[in-house]
Amino acid sequence: MVNVLLTGASRGIGAAIAAALDATPGVTLARHATATGLAADFAEPDAPDRLWHAALDRLGGRIDVLINNAGVFEANPIDSDAWLDEWERTLRINLTAAAALSRHAVRHWRDGGRGGRLVNVASRAAYRGDSPAHWHYAAAKAGMVAMTKTIARGYAAENILAFAICPGFTMTGMADDYLASRGGDRLLADIPLGRVARPEEVAEVARFLALSAPPSMTGAVLDVNGASYVR
Ligand SMILES: NC(=O)c1ccc[n+]([C@@H]2O[C@H](COP(=O)([O-])OP(=O)(O)OC[C@H]3O[C@@H](n4cnc5c(N)ncnc54)[C@H](OP(=O)(O)O)[C@@H]3O)[C@@H](O)[C@H]2O)c1
């Protein structure tokens, strides 16, 4: 059995990853989700610690795979009086919480001597940047990619593998609301594939990395963006 802790499992990409893993024999999933799983608000500094220990209890003391998927995409206009607070909120939820969980995971995997797999859901914004109201989001995702590479390089010899996924626009809500929140029809013109990604497409990549990607792929960052950004 492979024991997986998945954050942000309640909706969007996380719900699709949960469905993909549920459909895979031999996987036991601990879901982090406010209403329907192990609750933890990552705006609270000690929430990742509490979540890690709750997930360990749920999974019988062994976690083999950590998927850091939870995140927020909140606008932070540069003229806002709350700019610094909003910067720190997004960094805490999107990067610091993932780092705290990754630290628990790496220590757990080293102690267990079995290794493990880390999958971080970052964003195209890590490479391309984002809108003027989303400096914090792009910076957090770039940090996540750098953290992933650092873990991959630092612990590969102990069979600890780390991967990142960089989705582009991914249809996670009602289509009209989603497109409006990301700039309307203009965004489609920027995607050679002609459509945004489906959560199931990102989930398939997450499942591959979590369960079967060859170890030599460790440190890889996989794009899922319809060629809207190639690097
Ligand atoms: N959709 C896109 O276009 C896109 C593109 C690139 C990257 N991504 C990344 O993909 C990941 C999933 O995005 P999504 O679009 O599927 O998002 P979503 O539909 O808005 O879902 C966000 C998830 O994060 C959790 N979450 C939100 N605030 C949280 C907090 N304060 N503490 C802990 N968990 C919190 C939510 O949990 P609850 O609902 O249970 O509270 C929910 O499960 C994110 O990291 C996002 O940055 C998304």
Side-chain angles (χ1 to χ4, degrees):
M1 288 302 280
V2 179
N3 291 346
V4 180
L5 168 57
L6 166 66
T7 71
S10 60
R11 51 196 161 91
I13 291 170
I17 295 173
L21 292 174
D22 277 342
T24 306
V27 173
T28 305
L29 186 58
R31 299 157 195 263
H32 156 249
T34 301
T36 56
L38 301 169
D41 180 354
F42 290 162
E44 298 170 4
D46 61 347
D49 286 357
R50 284 189 275 106
L51 173 62
W52 177 262
H53 293 297
L56 267 183
D57 281 351
R58 178 72 58 92
L59 294 170
R62 196 190 84 234
I63 293 172
D64 304 301
V65 176
L66 167 64
I67 305 176
N68 283 311
N69 164 74
V72 290
F73 183 77
E74 298 170 344
N76 191 22
I78 56 167
D79 295 327
S80 165
D81 291 341
W83 191 88
L84 190 57
D85 288 344
E86 291 302 322
W87 170 277
E88 289 181 343
R89 173 178 156 78
T90 284
L91 268 287
R92 178 163 293 286
I93 294 169
N94 286 10
L95 179 59
T96 310
L101 288 169
S102 299
R103 175 172 176 252
H104 273 298
V106 168
R107 296 177 78 194
H108 177 66
W109 294 330
R110 295 182 85 182
D111 290 348
R114 292 179 307 273
R117 287 177 182 242
L118 172 65
V119 180
N120 285 325
V121 180
S123 169
R124 181 185 70 167
Y127 289 96
R128 197 179 104 142
D130 212 297
S131 84
H134 293 93
W135 298 10
H136 54 354
Y137 182 82
K141 295 301 187 180
M144 197 179 217
V145 168
M147 179 176 78
T148 306
K149 292 178 178 179
T150 302
I151 293 169
R153 289 175 54 77
Y155 307 99
E158 294 166 273
N159 202 27
I160 293 170
L161 312 178
F163 310 95
I165 304 172
C166 286
F169 292 119
T170 307
M171 189 72 78
T172 49
M174 299 299 289
D176 291 347
D177 292 349
Y178 180 85
L179 294 179
S181 75
R182 263 66 172 184
D185 287 344
R186 270 183 300 116
L187 75 84
L188 293 179
D190 200 27
I191 306 174
L193 189 63
R195 62 168 177 81
V196 300
R198 300 185 182 106
E200 294 73 22
E201 294 179 289
V202 182
E204 192 49 44
V205 176
R207 175 167 65 172
F208 168 63
L209 295 176
L211 302 177
S212 57
S216 289
M217 272 185 71
T218 192
V221 183
L222 300 192
D223 294 334
V224 186
N225 67 31
S228 61
Y229 190 72
V230 289
R231 60 189 170 83

